[in-house]
Amino acid sequence: MRNKHPGTCYRCNLRVEVGQGHFERHAGGWRTQHADCAIKARQSKQEQQSK
Ligand SMILES: [Zn+2]
């Protein structure tokens, strides 16, 4: 879901402003990533799976 609070992207370590990324449940807490980083990660994962 879209982040309602600013945070730090766990993929690129840059600031995520409200609405620019997603919150995820992780290890009993929350982590934030950019929507763009999530898309890139998904694409690279698909590339690995297709090999
Ligand atoms: Zn990011």
Side-chain angles (χ1 to χ4, degrees), residues 9-16 33-38:
C9 176
Y10 69 85
R11 295 195 188 276
C12 70
N13 289 319
L14 296 178
R15 186 174 170 83
V16 185
Q33 67 176 321
H34 290 110
D36 286 352
C37 289

Side-chain angles (χ1 to χ4, degrees), residues 1-36:
M1 64 179 169
R2 288 282 164 170
N3 60 318
K4 292 177 183 171
H5 303 281
T8 302
C9 176
Y10 69 85
R11 295 195 188 276
C12 70
N13 289 319
L14 296 178
R15 186 174 170 83
V16 185
E17 298 296 343
V18 174
Q20 286 187 342
H22 303 280
F23 265 142
E24 294 176 5
R25 264 285 197 207
H26 179 70
W30 293 90
R31 63 182 182 177
T32 312
Q33 67 176 321
H34 290 110
D36 286 352

